[in-house]
Amino acid sequence: KYQRFDSEFTTAKYSITGITRTKFNSKNSLTSGFYIDYLNFDLYNRDIYANLGRDSVRVDVQDNTTLYQAYSTWKHRFNSKFLFNAGLHAQYYSLNEQFSVEPRLGFQYVINGRHSVSAGFGLHNQIQSIYTSFVQTETDNTVLLTNTDLDYTTSRHAAITYDWNINDHLRLKAETYYQQLSNVPVERNP
């Protein structure tokens, strides 16, 4: 009950994107693109313990970083009933010089004009929040930035979907979904 907070968070994000779509023929198309996100930030967060006469600075950083992403997706229509998608997504994060390549696959089978089933798999990586990356850890005589080298949080997704167009105004879509997460940061002392 004697704790107070002093915080100020300022971030600015600048983005550039590009996309291209090419249809080679009635069965094959390719979509490719990129994102470049530049983030400038000034973060400060302090806990003040008035009853103890001390404070604890959790984050104090002014910096910037860039996230580069590129992707490409190939769509192949075997026939009017069977569709296949294959893609790659790559990203590079300048803060801790991480790089990842993520494959993605998808299939769709149209049973008839009202019913279809599809399946998909994808690997997805996500950077940590700027705040999490710059949390300070106090030791006896110094402050360490222990999270700046945190790896991407990785997620493996798999889904199977049934799609039923009941009529022109009503649709039922049922999906079973699996997700496996790894490299998720957690608190040392929650």
Side-chain angles (χ1 to χ4, degrees):
K1 66 183 179 180
Y2 299 104
Q3 184 180 12
R4 293 187 337 221
F5 305 96
D6 180 18
S7 301
E8 185 173 335
F9 304 111
T10 305
T11 59
K13 179 179 170 182
Y14 305 93
S15 298
I16 297 172
T17 63
I19 187 170
T20 180
R21 291 187 178 106
T22 304
K23 187 171 184 176
F24 299 105
N25 54 43
S26 63
K27 293 187 174 195
N28 294 288
S29 63
L30 185 70
T31 302
S32 301
F34 70 90
Y35 302 92
I36 301 173
D37 296 324
Y38 174 79
L39 186 63
N40 190 11
F41 49 92
D42 183 357
L43 309 175
Y44 182 76
N45 187 19
R46 174 174 70 142
D47 295 338
I48 303 166
Y49 302 94
N51 59 326
L52 301 175
R54 68 177 180 90
D55 64 5
S56 176
V57 176
R58 294 183 178 270
V59 173
D60 185 8
V61 64
Q62 291 179 330
D63 206 345
N64 59 69
T65 188
T66 307
L67 176 64
Y68 303 88
Q69 300 178 76
Y71 64 92
S72 193
T73 302
W74 170 54
K75 184 185 288 186
H76 179 72
R77 195 173 284 283
F78 287 96
N79 54 45
S80 62
K81 294 189 173 276
F82 190 58
L83 174 69
F84 170 73
N85 286 303
L88 278 179
H89 177 266
Q91 61 183 344
Y92 173 77
Y93 190 39
S94 68
L95 179 69
N96 49 15
E97 300 179 347
Q98 294 180 76
F99 180 76
S100 72
V101 177
E102 308 157 349
R104 296 170 187 174
L105 294 172
F107 304 92
Q108 181 185 37
Y109 179 71
V110 178
I111 300 167
N112 58 40
R114 296 200 180 269
H115 302 271
S116 68
V117 292
S118 57
F121 170 80
L123 180 64
H124 302 263
N125 287 291
Q126 182 177 18
I127 61 174
Q128 307 307 328
S129 74
I130 292 297
Y131 185 89
T132 299
S133 296
F134 284 97
V135 166
Q136 298 179 178
T137 303
E138 294 182 23
T139 63
D140 292 336
N141 54 1
T142 189
V143 173
L144 301 173
L145 297 174
T146 54
N147 289 347
T148 55
D149 288 332
L150 285 178
D151 203 355
Y152 293 114
T153 294
T154 301
S155 176
R156 289 166 185 80
H157 296 228
I160 299 173
T161 305
Y162 170 72
D163 198 348
W164 176 22
N165 290 312
I166 298 169
N167 60 43
D168 290 344
H169 305 288
L170 186 61
R171 180 180 187 184
L172 172 70
K173 194 170 193 176
E175 184 171 79
T176 182
Y177 181 81
Y178 173 78
Q179 181 181 42
Q180 178 188 24
L181 297 171
S182 59
N183 295 331
V184 179
V186 295
E187 290 184 65
R188 178 175 288 190
N189 301 311

